[in-house]
Amino acid sequence: YETLVAEEAEASSSTARGGGRGAGPRRSRERAYETWGTRAQYGSASRPGYNPYQGYMDFGADTPAGEARARTERRRMQWTLGCVATFVLGLSAVTLSARRDNRRLESGELVEAYFNQVTRRWEKASPSMKRDPLLSTLVHLKSPEVVYGHGLTGSGGQPRHAPRRSALTIDGRRA
């Protein structure tokens, strides 16, 4: 603070001495320096090499403010570590389940299918549907019995699903 007051006094005394227009090389240097701000305006921030991240207050560990700062930083660090751990656990779960699902897909235990709302059945997804960003969200992994199983028989030779009654549409057709 003392240097700021001294610099302000020096700046005011130099202008009071009559340093008007064309007062010499010193005045032109001051004018060029003033484009970035004067010392009177910004203090040490107007000098080259100023560190804007340097604090103005001394937070020692022995003060209550220092203790509060340490508690806050510790809490933020714990929160950050918790978020990172949650992300890593989620990423590992997705990776492990994707490997398992790919193995089951290749072996034929699962089929990529989508639910057709018109027929109200699971149907095998076409390759173009899997490539489309929007339609690919409808594709799920299902067992072949669910997708192809409506014609299979269950225990005792009975059909697994009752055959769907055809509905009469508005135009009189059976669907």
Side-chain angles (χ1 to χ4, degrees):
Y1 179 74
E2 290 86 19
T3 58
L4 182 62
V5 170
E7 290 169 357
E8 285 179 0
E10 178 185 330
S12 65
S13 67
S14 69
T15 56
R17 275 185 258 153
R21 192 174 201 76
R26 178 180 160 91
R27 182 65 182 161
S28 64
R29 251 185 296 137
E30 284 179 5
R31 229 180 288 125
Y33 189 68
E34 286 175 3
T35 58
W36 300 105
T38 62
R39 289 184 182 167
Q41 285 177 310
Y42 300 110
S44 61
S46 65
R47 295 185 190 133
Y50 169 72
N51 182 6
Y53 303 106
Q54 176 184 4
Y56 293 105
M57 301 175 71
D58 182 26
F59 288 114
D62 54 340
T63 64
E67 294 168 7
R69 179 190 52 81
R71 278 194 313 270
T72 303
E73 286 183 3
R74 190 171 37 254
R75 194 175 330 123
R76 286 179 181 162
M77 178 61 93
Q78 290 170 349
W79 180 256
T80 302
L81 290 176
C83 290
V84 168
T86 303
F87 175 78
V88 168
L89 283 173
L91 183 63
S92 62
V94 166
T95 304
L96 292 174
S97 66
R99 287 182 190 164
R100 183 197 65 206
D101 289 343
N102 283 336
R103 279 195 307 268
R104 291 176 70 189
L105 190 63
E106 289 170 0
S107 69
E109 292 179 47
L110 294 175
V111 177
E112 290 180 329
Y114 73 101
F115 187 75
N116 188 341
Q117 294 181 359
V118 174
T119 61
R120 291 182 287 183
R121 292 191 181 119
W122 286 96
E123 296 180 5
K124 189 171 192 243
S126 65
S128 62
M129 187 175 189
K130 291 183 250 180
R131 284 191 301 266
D132 186 88
L134 180 64
L135 295 177
S136 65
T137 60
L138 301 173
V139 176
H140 300 277
L141 294 175
K142 294 291 177 183
S143 65
E145 293 85 26
V146 173
V147 178
Y148 306 119
H150 65 278
L152 299 177
T153 57
S155 61
Q158 297 295 322
R160 188 179 300 252
H161 302 287
R164 185 173 163 264
R165 272 184 39 205
S166 60
L168 191 61
T169 60
I170 294 175
D171 58 356
R173 294 187 205 165
R174 294 269 176 203

